Amino acid sequence: MQTKTTYGKSPWIDLFPASRVPGYPRHRGHLDAEVAIVGGGLTGCATAYAFAAAGIKVALLDAVQIGRGGSGTSTGWIAADPGVSFLALERAHGDREAHRAFQMWRRAALDMAALVRRLDLKCQLTAAATAQVALTREAAVVLTREQKARRAAGLDATLQNARATAADLAVAAPAGIRTRDGATLDPYRATLGLAAAA
């Protein structure tokens, strides 16, 4: 799906038919629930679904409308790594904790995609790889060290040379790292689907 970018507007929300936007009752008075979740974005709705699936009575509260805050205006990217340097995490917290952070992030990305498929949410889930590129030779040296550290820790990280990066991404860069297991989706539809499933 290609849409024209209009800054300050969400293509996900704008393209969703107004007649299909779900309405939920306003909360008034006493609320009897084992768990109350404040915030009806993607995270809040996924959490509500997890509690409901476990048989726990849950209430989900949002100030305005579900999915119309940060989730509905996000990129819809499910990243398979935390987006920080493995080497920096390793220096700050040690090899074991850095490895654990990357593994947990990847597992969360895979679990989110599996949940969307299992619930058959109509949110245009598409598997997508991640590319991190170095635009200078100095940055390429740092990126190569990063890739070697990730590979030594058993993490997914394929180093690409300038030719492969140009062919793959149409970017002139001396080096790049490719990782799998990411995905894209329509975050607004995914949020509404999780709320309905909860």
Coordinates of all heavy atoms in Angstrom, one line a residue, residues 33-61 66 71 108 111-112 115-116 118-119 121 190-198:
A33 N -12.8 -5.1 38.4 CA -11.9 -5.9 37.5 C -10.7 -6.3 38.3 O -10.3 -5.6 39.3 CB -11.5 -5.0 36.3
E34 N -10.1 -7.4 38.0 CA -8.9 -7.8 38.6 C -7.7 -7.0 38.2 O -6.7 -6.8 39.0 CB -8.6 -9.3 38.3 CG -9.7 -10.2 38.9 CD -9.4 -11.7 38.5 OE1 -8.5 -12.3 39.1 OE2 -10.1 -12.1 37.5
V35 N -7.7 -6.6 37.0 CA -6.6 -5.8 36.4 C -7.2 -4.6 35.6 O -8.1 -4.8 34.9 CB -5.7 -6.6 35.4 CG1 -4.7 -5.7 34.7 CG2 -5.1 -7.7 36.2
A36 N -6.7 -3.4 35.8 CA -7.1 -2.2 35.0 C -5.8 -1.7 34.3 O -4.8 -1.6 34.8 CB -7.6 -1.1 35.9
I37 N -6.0 -1.6 33.0 CA -4.9 -1.1 32.1 C -5.3 0.3 31.6 O -6.4 0.5 31.1 CB -4.7 -2.0 30.9 CG1 -4.2 -3.4 31.5 CG2 -3.7 -1.5 30.0 CD1 -4.3 -4.5 30.4
V38 N -4.4 1.2 31.8 CA -4.7 2.6 31.4 C -3.8 2.8 30.1 O -2.6 2.8 30.2 CB -4.3 3.6 32.5 CG1 -4.5 5.1 32.0 CG2 -5.1 3.4 33.8
G39 N -4.5 3.1 29.1 CA -3.9 3.3 27.8 C -4.3 2.3 26.8 O -3.9 1.1 26.9
G40 N -5.1 2.7 25.8 CA -5.5 1.7 24.8 C -4.8 1.8 23.5 O -5.3 1.8 22.4
G41 N -3.4 1.8 23.6 CA -2.6 1.7 22.4 C -2.3 0.2 22.1 O -2.9 -0.7 22.7
L42 N -1.3 0.0 21.2 CA -1.0 -1.4 20.9 C -0.5 -2.2 22.1 O -0.9 -3.3 22.3 CB 0.1 -1.4 19.8 CG 0.4 -2.7 19.1 CD1 -0.8 -3.3 18.4 CD2 1.5 -2.5 18.1
T43 N 0.3 -1.6 22.9 CA 0.8 -2.3 24.1 C -0.3 -2.6 25.1 O -0.4 -3.7 25.6 CB 2.0 -1.5 24.8 OG1 3.0 -1.3 23.8 CG2 2.5 -2.2 26.0
G44 N -1.1 -1.5 25.4 CA -2.2 -1.7 26.3 C -3.2 -2.8 25.8 O -3.6 -3.6 26.6
C45 N -3.5 -2.8 24.5 CA -4.5 -3.8 24.0 C -3.9 -5.2 24.0 O -4.6 -6.2 24.3 CB -5.0 -3.4 22.6 SG -6.1 -1.9 22.7
A46 N -2.6 -5.3 23.7 CA -1.9 -6.6 23.7 C -1.9 -7.1 25.1 O -2.1 -8.3 25.4 CB -0.5 -6.5 23.1
T47 N -1.6 -6.2 26.1 CA -1.6 -6.6 27.5 C -3.0 -7.1 28.0 O -3.2 -8.1 28.7 CB -1.1 -5.5 28.4 OG1 0.2 -5.1 27.9 CG2 -0.9 -5.9 29.8
A48 N -4.0 -6.3 27.6 CA -5.4 -6.7 27.9 C -5.7 -8.0 27.3 O -6.4 -8.9 28.0 CB -6.4 -5.6 27.4
Y49 N -5.3 -8.3 26.1 CA -5.6 -9.6 25.5 C -4.9 -10.7 26.3 O -5.5 -11.8 26.5 CB -5.1 -9.6 24.0 CG -5.2 -11.0 23.5 CD1 -6.4 -11.6 23.1 CD2 -4.0 -11.8 23.4 CE1 -6.5 -12.9 22.7 CE2 -4.1 -13.1 23.0 CZ -5.3 -13.7 22.6 OH -5.4 -15.0 22.2
A50 N -3.6 -10.5 26.7 CA -2.9 -11.5 27.4 C -3.6 -11.9 28.7 O -3.7 -13.1 29.1 CB -1.5 -11.1 27.7
F51 N -4.1 -10.9 29.5 CA -4.8 -11.1 30.7 C -6.1 -11.8 30.4 O -6.5 -12.8 31.1 CB -5.1 -9.8 31.5 CG -3.9 -9.4 32.3 CD1 -3.2 -8.2 32.0 CD2 -3.5 -10.1 33.4 CE1 -2.1 -7.8 32.7 CE2 -2.4 -9.7 34.2 CZ -1.7 -8.6 33.9
A52 N -6.9 -11.3 29.4 CA -8.2 -12.0 29.1 C -8.0 -13.4 28.7 O -8.8 -14.3 29.1 CB -8.9 -11.1 28.0
A53 N -7.0 -13.7 27.9 CA -6.7 -15.0 27.4 C -6.3 -16.0 28.6 O -6.6 -17.2 28.5 CB -5.6 -15.1 26.4
A54 N -5.8 -15.4 29.7 CA -5.5 -16.2 30.8 C -6.6 -16.3 31.8 O -6.5 -16.9 32.9 CB -4.3 -15.5 31.6
G55 N -7.8 -15.8 31.4 CA -9.0 -15.9 32.2 C -9.1 -14.9 33.3 O -9.9 -15.0 34.3
I56 N -8.3 -13.8 33.2 CA -8.3 -12.7 34.3 C -9.2 -11.6 33.8 O -9.1 -11.1 32.7 CB -6.9 -12.2 34.5 CG1 -6.1 -13.4 35.1 CG2 -6.9 -11.1 35.5 CD1 -4.6 -13.2 35.1
K57 N -10.1 -11.1 34.7 CA -11.0 -10.1 34.3 C -10.3 -8.8 34.2 O -9.7 -8.3 35.2 CB -12.2 -10.0 35.3 CG -13.3 -9.0 34.9 CD -14.4 -9.0 35.9 CE -15.5 -8.1 35.5 NZ -16.6 -8.0 36.4
V58 N -10.3 -8.1 33.0 CA -9.5 -7.0 32.8 C -10.3 -5.8 32.3 O -11.3 -6.0 31.6 CB -8.3 -7.3 31.8 CG1 -8.9 -7.7 30.4 CG2 -7.4 -6.1 31.6
A59 N -10.0 -4.6 32.7 CA -10.6 -3.4 32.2 C -9.6 -2.6 31.5 O -8.5 -2.4 32.0 CB -11.3 -2.6 33.3
L60 N -9.9 -2.1 30.3 CA -9.0 -1.3 29.5 C -9.6 0.1 29.4 O -10.7 0.3 29.0 CB -8.8 -1.9 28.1 CG -7.9 -1.1 27.1 CD1 -6.4 -1.1 27.6 CD2 -8.0 -1.7 25.7
L61 N -8.8 1.1 29.8 CA -9.3 2.5 29.9 C -8.4 3.4 29.0 O -7.2 3.3 29.0 CB -9.2 3.1 31.3 CG -10.0 2.3 32.4 CD1 -9.6 2.8 33.7 CD2 -11.5 2.3 32.1
I66 N -9.4 4.3 21.4 CA -8.4 3.2 21.3 C -7.6 3.4 20.0 O -8.2 3.6 19.0 CB -9.0 1.8 21.4 CG1 -9.5 1.5 22.8 CG2 -8.1 0.7 20.9 CD1 -10.1 0.2 23.0
S71 N 0.2 4.8 19.0 CA 0.2 3.6 18.2 C -0.4 3.9 16.8 O 0.2 3.5 15.8 CB -0.7 2.6 18.9 OG -0.1 2.1 20.1
A108 N 10.3 -11.2 21.3 CA 9.1 -10.4 21.4 C 8.6 -10.1 20.0 O 7.4 -10.1 19.8 CB 9.4 -9.1 22.2
D111 N 7.0 -13.2 18.7 CA 5.8 -13.5 19.4 C 4.6 -12.6 18.9 O 3.5 -13.0 18.8 CB 6.0 -13.4 20.9 CG 6.7 -14.5 21.5 OD1 6.9 -15.5 20.8 OD2 7.1 -14.4 22.7
M112 N 5.0 -11.3 18.7 CA 4.0 -10.4 18.2 C 3.4 -10.8 16.8 O 2.2 -10.8 16.6 CB 4.5 -9.0 18.2 CG 3.5 -7.9 17.7 SD 2.1 -7.8 18.9 CE 1.1 -6.6 18.1
L115 N 1.2 -13.8 17.2 CA -0.1 -13.5 17.8 C -1.0 -12.9 16.7 O -2.2 -13.3 16.6 CB 0.1 -12.5 19.0 CG -1.2 -12.0 19.6 CD1 -2.0 -13.2 20.2 CD2 -0.9 -11.0 20.6
V116 N -0.5 -12.0 15.9 CA -1.3 -11.4 14.8 C -1.8 -12.5 13.9 O -2.9 -12.5 13.5 CB -0.4 -10.3 14.1 CG1 -1.1 -9.9 12.8 CG2 -0.2 -9.1 15.0
R118 N -2.1 -15.8 14.6 CA -3.0 -16.7 15.3 C -4.4 -16.1 15.4 O -5.4 -16.8 15.3 CB -2.4 -17.0 16.6 CG -3.2 -18.2 17.3 CD -2.6 -18.7 18.6 NE -2.8 -17.8 19.7 CZ -1.8 -17.0 20.3 NH1 -0.6 -17.1 19.9 NH2 -2.1 -16.2 21.3
L119 N -4.5 -14.8 15.7 CA -5.8 -14.2 15.9 C -6.4 -13.7 14.5 O -7.5 -13.2 14.5 CB -5.7 -12.9 16.8 CG -5.3 -13.2 18.2 CD1 -5.1 -11.9 19.0 CD2 -6.3 -14.1 18.9
L121 N -5.6 -11.2 12.6 CA -5.9 -9.8 12.6 C -5.6 -9.3 11.2 O -4.5 -9.5 10.6 CB -5.0 -9.1 13.6 CG -5.1 -9.5 15.1 CD1 -4.3 -8.6 16.0 CD2 -6.6 -9.5 15.5
A190 N -4.2 -3.3 14.0 CA -3.7 -4.3 14.9 C -4.2 -4.0 16.3 O -4.6 -4.9 17.1 CB -2.1 -4.4 14.9
T191 N -4.2 -2.7 16.7 CA -4.7 -2.3 18.0 C -6.1 -2.6 18.2 O -6.6 -3.2 19.2 CB -4.4 -0.8 18.2 OG1 -3.0 -0.6 18.1 CG2 -4.9 -0.3 19.6
L192 N -6.9 -2.3 17.2 CA -8.4 -2.5 17.2 C -8.6 -4.0 17.3 O -9.5 -4.5 18.0 CB -9.1 -1.9 16.0 CG -9.1 -0.4 15.9 CD1 -9.9 0.0 14.7 CD2 -9.6 0.3 17.2
G193 N -7.9 -4.8 16.6 CA -8.0 -6.3 16.6 C -7.7 -6.9 17.9 O -8.5 -7.8 18.4
L194 N -6.7 -6.4 18.5 CA -6.3 -6.9 19.9 C -7.4 -6.5 20.9 O -7.7 -7.3 21.8 CB -4.9 -6.4 20.3 CG -3.8 -7.1 19.6 CD1 -2.5 -6.3 19.8 CD2 -3.6 -8.5 20.0
A195 N -7.9 -5.3 20.8 CA -8.9 -4.9 21.7 C -10.2 -5.8 21.6 O -10.8 -6.2 22.6 CB -9.3 -3.4 21.5
A196 N -10.5 -6.0 20.3 CA -11.7 -6.9 20.1 C -11.5 -8.3 20.6 O -12.4 -8.9 21.2 CB -12.0 -6.9 18.6
A197 N -10.3 -8.8 20.4 CA -9.9 -10.2 20.9 C -9.9 -10.3 22.4 O -10.3 -11.3 23.0 CB -8.6 -10.6 20.3
A198 N -9.6 -9.1 23.1 CA -9.6 -9.1 24.5 C -11.0 -9.1 25.1 O -11.2 -9.6 26.2 CB -8.8 -7.9 25.0

